[in-house]
Amino acid sequence: MRLLLLGNEALAYGSLAAGVAVATAYPGTPSTEVLETLEEFKDRFVYWAANEKTAFELSYGAALAGARALVAMKHVGLNVASDPLHSAAYTGVEGGFLIITADDPWMYSSQNEQDTRWYGLQAYIPVLEPSNPVEAYKMAKDGFALSEKLKHPVMLRSVTRVSHVRAPVEIEHPAPPKWGRFTKDVKRFCLVPTNARERKKALLEKWEKIQDIASEYIQTEGSGDVFIVTSGVAYNYVKEAVRRLNIKAVIVKLGIVVPTPRKVADIVDKSAVVVEEGDPVLELQLRSLGISTRGKLNGYFPKFGELDINKVAMGIAKAVGVPYNPPQPPRPPLEPPPRPPVLCPGCPHMATFYILKVATAGLNPVWSGDIGCYSLGINMGQQDVITHMGSSVGLGSGITVAGRHFVVATIGDSTFYHAALPQLIDVVGKSIPILIVVMDNSYTAMTGGQPSPSRFLPAEKITEALGLPTFVIDPVDVKRSIEIVKKAVEIVKNGKPAVVISRRPCVLMAIRKARRLGVQIPKYQVDLEKCKSCGLCYNLLKCSAISKRPDGKAYVDPALCVGCGVCAEVCPFNAFKLEGRKEIWLEIWKQA
Amino acid sequence: METGIVIVGVGGQGVLTLARWLGEAAMAEGYDVRIAEVHGMSQRGGSVEVHVRIGREVYAPIVEEGGADFVIALEALEALRAYRYLKPNGILVVNKRIIQPPGKWYNLNDTLDAIRRSGIKTYIVPCYDIALELGSVLYENSVMLGFVSKLLGLSMPPSLDENNRKAFLRGMSLI
Ligand code: SF4
Ligand code: SF4
């Protein structure tokens, strides 16, 4: 069967063809669709874990017992899983174990650009690098076989332009899942120091062997006296650049980059142009093999962002000494305005931010943010620091302790379970006076709406068990919520921590549900007579369906409004009027 | 044939689906296809940009600036943003719709006039109006699909449902 598949879908189908039995992940762009695709297959164990570490542990454990298992995550997710990752090479595995990571060059949807191939080097785990969805399919399938042959975990590094690229892919039927049974072997699986020392010796020997096996994944094409060594998505740009520059070159494409096979030194004649996406991981290894390189290290290709045909053609042209004139982009007749990502119209987080702003007026809080949709609160001036999953409570506590600030830590429900539970224990332990706001929309929404643990474990059960004063609000009920949040603010002002849980499901999920049920979604319109151009709705609330007309009055785009009614609660002049009915809609939304 | 297409719009307009439909249609005709999508953060009401490359043998997934044969914009201001991708003889197709960006107010007709006068071959297509006529803004992208399929000489992709087929045919009938 030939399908137009995303790279991530191809990875899933390749794993199915290899008989994957256990698949786990925590959602994160650009890795999410691997598990989303596998979710359809009910004869396997497929699970969205609380975070990447727990996901890794589930699959690693299954592979120790001989099952074929995979774990998928985005590049920064591997940091969370890095503890078990480093032990995995020491014990090895019994069943095939594939660790899929998706890097995000240019940070389309991430806080940093990290190249996960470094982890392969550091943890002694070989890294496969597919260049397109067809190869992603094949390498996922082969990766299981390789892992099982070596009895060693195998990493597969994708990047945005492999994971989120569609191409025609020929797929086979899924193979039946391969489960396993655990066989005890204390010397191998219990990494107490005496055992671990033995394992490290064995690991180093195995690494040599892996380096030889990596040679089998070298492909060379073309002829000439220029050698271009490349891997992954970069290969595609090299192919087209060589064609465009009309030069004769040998393209050496590596399927396994970590460890870089020694055999490359026999193929290339002392010197090579190196083209790779991310950091110079390949280039440094080539240098250590005695090859002199022209690549990122000496400035032939940019050290950050993603490659394209132009950047690659320009670099190769310079390295080889041929002319290249890139196409001249035309200039638009008008400068386009910036259009940053914003909270969706009707997003419950929009109302929560408004409520928090009003309830903390005069306190000049530090807004300690986190990773998820609510980081878009940055557009409302309500995110002052965002660094990683769980940073809101963790860093927020530090900021509180340092400067007697009033800190509001905003965190989504999925992120709360992913990364904030241990931090809560510290908050309780030192009674740190911080206002923690769990923005519970019942989904991991930024990545498309995967289930979050809040669907079976409400956050207040945890915060109350820890003895934290907890208040639950419904953010579309703006005025009432403000009064409740003020109580929590008082507690924090008196030197104690408090928690607010703002609960209303993601509006996108609610819209989907209403459409399925055939329920009309109401809208609001502005009565221009009543609007006094006060700006409260477009300046403070910032619903993206509302704009400021040239005369200062508000305008609601009817195609964007989803009838949450928050603007109507906020407007002091009653200028928003409802079109349609909203009771049934609000109820469906609440149950979404 | 080797064609580079950049499709743009605002998150939520169905840009990804439009690109996938085009890719399916091209694949059905035996072409190799690469579609580079954007997901996650970049989609939330912000600018969305999807690249489609169609040919006998395609490698690079993204179109470079100055390298697109077609820019298809589901929103007028996004047409301005993607303008830099056009080849000098490239073609711009713009939906007659504006989604106000945060901050400043833009007038639809003034924006379209500026584009029309810019010297690039331009089609302005009332996908939004037709979609509303058909009952929902959701059909905007299938009207556009019909229009550009006619331009590109591609047929209707197999996966459209009945309402989207209707919208597709309306789009096709516009040229
Ligand atoms: S809050 Fe009410 S009065 Fe103020 S600008 Fe908005 S619609 Fe007009
Ligand atoms: S009801 Fe008001 S606040 Fe809610 S989406 Fe519509 S315009 Fe925005």
Side-chain angles (χ1 to χ4, degrees):
Chain A
M1 204 178 10
R2 205 153 171 263
L3 298 174
L4 190 57
L5 291 186
L6 274 184
N8 282 345
E9 293 168 342
L11 288 170
Y13 283 109
S15 306
L16 287 165
V20 68
V22 175
T24 58
Y26 182 78
T29 312
S31 71
T32 311
E33 299 78 10
V34 177
L35 208 75
E36 265 183 351
T37 309
L38 291 168
E39 271 185 302
E40 308 298 315
F41 295 81
K42 304 293 179 207
D43 56 339
R44 337 247 153 174
F45 180 92
V46 180
Y47 184 63
W48 291 112
N51 67 33
E52 293 83 0
K53 178 173 180 280
T54 64
F56 189 101
E57 287 160 341
L58 269 166
S59 289
Y60 175 26
L64 285 180
R68 292 199 181 133
L70 79 75
V71 59
M73 62 197 74
K74 69 183 294 181
H75 58 319
V76 287
L78 193 58
N79 300 327
V80 178
S82 66
D83 205 354
L85 176 83
H86 285 77
S87 293
Y90 279 59
T91 61
V93 287
E94 274 303 294
F97 182 29
L98 191 66
I99 304 156
I100 297 174
T101 64
D103 292 1
D104 186 16
W106 191 240
M107 301 167 274
Y108 287 96
S109 209
S110 309
Q111 65 268 39
N112 66 45
E113 225 180 27
Q114 182 183 318
D115 186 329
T116 45
R117 295 176 303 172
W118 295 117
Y119 268 115
L121 272 178
Q122 154 136 331
Y124 293 93
I125 293 175
V127 182
L128 291 160
E129 242 197 309
S131 63
N132 60 31
V134 175
E135 224 171 60
Y137 177 85
K138 193 173 172 309
M139 282 192 174
K141 193 177 162 204
D142 293 354
F144 280 96
L146 178 66
S147 167
E148 216 159 87
K149 181 168 102 185
L150 295 167
K151 291 192 183 292
H152 200 77
V154 167
M155 252 174 77
L156 185 151
R157 181 237 192 182
S158 181
V159 294
T160 302
R161 301 306 186 178
V162 172
S163 277
H164 284 169
V165 164
R166 270 179 208 280
V169 183
E170 187 69 43
I171 63 165
E172 306 153 61
H173 271 298
K178 185 181 175 256
W179 305 95
R181 275 194 72 75
F182 185 69
T183 310
K184 296 184 186 186
D185 184 347
V186 171
K187 282 212 151 66
R188 178 175 168 199
F189 295 143
C190 295
L191 295 177
V192 293
T194 40
N195 293 344
R197 284 179 203 121
E198 286 307 309
R199 297 303 303 170
K200 176 75 190 261
K201 277 187 224 154
L203 175 58
L204 290 172
E205 279 165 31
K206 208 189 215 177
W207 196 240
E208 300 268 311
K209 197 171 119 200
I210 293 173
Q211 203 161 15
D212 293 334
I213 289 174
S215 309
E216 294 165 20
Y217 290 76
I218 303 174
Q219 289 170 23
T220 51
E221 54 188 273
S223 62
D225 42 17
V226 176
F227 289 91
I228 304 173
V229 184
T230 185
S231 70
V233 74
Y235 165 76
N236 303 302
Y237 303 123
V238 170
K239 276 290 276 192
E240 297 216 12
V242 165
R243 203 196 285 168
R244 199 176 276 193
L245 293 170
N246 202 9
I247 54 169
K248 288 198 136 320
V250 183
I251 303 174
V252 183
K253 175 179 176 294
L254 305 190
I256 293 185
V257 183
V258 173
T260 296
R262 272 178 296 255
K263 198 177 157 204
V264 184
D266 306 335
I267 300 170
V268 310
D269 196 33
K270 290 199 195 68
S271 149
V273 180
V274 187
V275 191
E276 61 190 314
E277 184 90 297
D279 294 333
V281 175
L282 172 58
E283 196 180 356
L284 279 170
Q285 291 183 90
L286 290 173
R287 285 199 177 177
S288 76
L289 294 174
I291 297 168
S292 94
T293 64
R294 279 155 288 159
K296 296 198 174 212
L297 286 171
N298 36 21
Y300 284 89
F301 303 95
K303 289 195 174 80
F304 110 93
E306 59 176 351
L307 300 170
D308 64 20
I309 308 177
N310 266 336
K311 289 178 193 163
V312 172
M314 225 122 67
I316 296 177
K318 207 165 92 192
V320 176
V322 296
Y324 175 64
N325 296 315
Q328 281 308 311
R331 287 182 56 85
L334 287 175
E335 267 319 299
R339 195 194 292 277
V342 288
L343 292 171
C344 305
C347 174
H349 298 331
M350 165 185 87
T352 308
F353 278 123
Y354 179 82
I355 290 160
L356 291 171
K357 192 176 266 180
V358 176
T360 61
L363 289 170
N364 188 22
V366 175
W367 301 96
S368 186
D370 222 301
I371 308 288
C373 293
Y374 35 86
S375 53
L376 297 173
I378 199 164
N379 299 324
M380 308 167 86
Q382 285 172 277
Q383 299 276 283
D384 296 318
V385 50
I386 309 168
T387 58
H388 61 279
M389 297 283 281
S391 64
S392 59
V393 183
L395 299 187
S397 299
I399 292 169
T400 307
V401 169
R404 294 207 208 130
H405 290 287
F406 187 94
V407 174
V408 184
T410 48
I411 185 166
D413 51 311
S414 184
T415 310
F416 177 78
Y417 296 96
H418 176 287
L421 299 186
Q423 279 90 323
L424 285 186
I425 293 175
D426 297 332
V427 166
V428 174
K430 266 288 185 191
S431 191
I432 296 169
I434 180 172
L435 180 62
I436 298 168
V437 181
V438 183
M439 302 172 106
D440 179 2
N441 64 3
S442 311
Y443 291 94
T444 314
M446 180 67 98
T447 47
Q450 292 74 29
S452 138
S454 56
R455 301 188 75 79
F456 58 80
L457 180 59
E460 59 268 30
K461 290 224 164 146
I462 294 171
T463 56
E464 278 164 3
L466 287 168
L468 289 164
T470 302
F471 303 86
V472 181
I473 60 169
D474 178 353
V476 303
D477 198 349
V478 178
K479 290 183 189 115
R480 215 167 129 230
S481 297
I482 291 172
E483 290 319 307
I484 299 173
V485 173
K486 278 184 178 160
K487 288 185 202 154
V489 168
E490 275 312 304
I491 295 176
V492 178
K493 270 167 55 184
N494 289 327
K496 290 267 186 297
V499 178
V500 170
I501 294 162
S502 181
R503 179 169 294 135
R504 175 66 55 174
C506 170
V507 68
L508 296 183
M509 305 298 146
I511 292 171
R512 250 178 245 173
K513 193 170 172 197
R515 274 192 195 134
R516 259 201 321 273
L517 297 171
V519 169
Q520 276 286 327
I521 295 167
K523 288 184 206 327
Y524 282 78
Q525 282 298 303
V526 180
D527 183 337
L528 292 178
E529 299 277 286
K530 287 191 181 164
C531 173
K532 298 283 173 276
S533 311
C534 73
L536 216 54
C537 58
Y538 49 76
N539 288 333
L540 274 188
L541 181 61
K542 291 217 165 155
C543 169
S544 46
I546 307 177
S547 328
K548 178 184 172 188
R549 293 162 28 117
D551 60 4
K553 298 199 182 203
Y555 166 79
V556 174
D557 186 329
L560 299 180
C561 175
V562 296
C564 70
V566 171
C567 52
E569 282 221 33
V570 164
C571 174
F573 301 102
N574 245 326
F576 288 92
K577 40 176 210 265
L578 177 65
E579 290 178 1
R581 297 193 39 175
K582 72 173 197 181
E583 293 74 25
I584 313 171
W585 159 232
L586 283 184
E587 199 45 43
I588 287 170
W589 185 355
K590 209 170 188 171
Q591 309 299 330
Chain B
M1 168 171 110
E2 156 121 11
T3 310
I5 307 169
V6 175
I7 308 178
V8 294
V10 175
Q13 279 195 291
V15 176
L16 257 58
T17 314
L18 173 53
R20 199 172 65 232
W21 280 332
L22 266 186
E24 279 173 10
M27 194 175 99
E29 313 248 328
Y31 287 109
D32 195 7
V33 181
R34 293 289 180 278
I35 306 174
E37 305 186 348
V38 284
H39 294 210
M41 169 88 92
S42 12
Q43 249 189 297
R44 299 274 171 243
S47 310
V48 178
E49 181 185 294
V50 181
H51 295 209
V52 182
R53 297 186 78 226
I54 301 171
R56 287 290 158 214
E57 202 187 13
V58 186
Y59 288 92
I62 48 183
V63 179
E64 73 278 18
E65 296 191 351
D69 302 280
F70 294 89
V71 164
I72 301 167
L74 283 172
E75 198 274 345
L77 296 171
E78 294 312 307
L80 297 171
R81 200 183 319 282
Y83 200 85
R84 66 186 197 282
Y85 285 110
L86 282 162
K87 283 182 179 167
N89 59 347
I91 294 176
L92 177 62
V93 187
V94 190
N95 180 13
K96 200 176 147 204
R97 178 176 181 194
I98 208 155
I99 297 176
Q100 295 300 336
K104 207 175 149 195
W105 178 272
Y106 281 78
N107 180 284
L108 173 61
N109 287 326
D110 296 349
T111 309
L112 291 176
D113 278 345
I115 293 173
R116 245 191 235 111
R117 286 196 307 263
S118 71
I120 282 275
K121 184 165 166 88
T122 304
Y123 293 97
I124 290 164
V125 193
C127 305
Y128 178 64
D129 300 340
I130 294 176
L132 290 187
E133 223 178 89
L134 292 170
S136 168
V137 61
L138 294 176
Y139 306 129
E140 200 175 40
N141 59 353
S142 25
V143 178
M144 182 58 100
L145 176 73
F147 189 88
V148 296
S149 297
K150 188 84 175 274
L151 270 186
L152 287 162
L154 292 169
S155 342
M156 189 182 329
S159 63
L160 296 197
D161 66 14
E162 205 191 306
N163 285 332
N164 282 311
R165 272 161 198 262
K166 241 188 253 165
F168 179 94
L169 293 174
R170 283 289 300 274
M172 249 193 168
S173 71
L174 293 172
I175 29 172

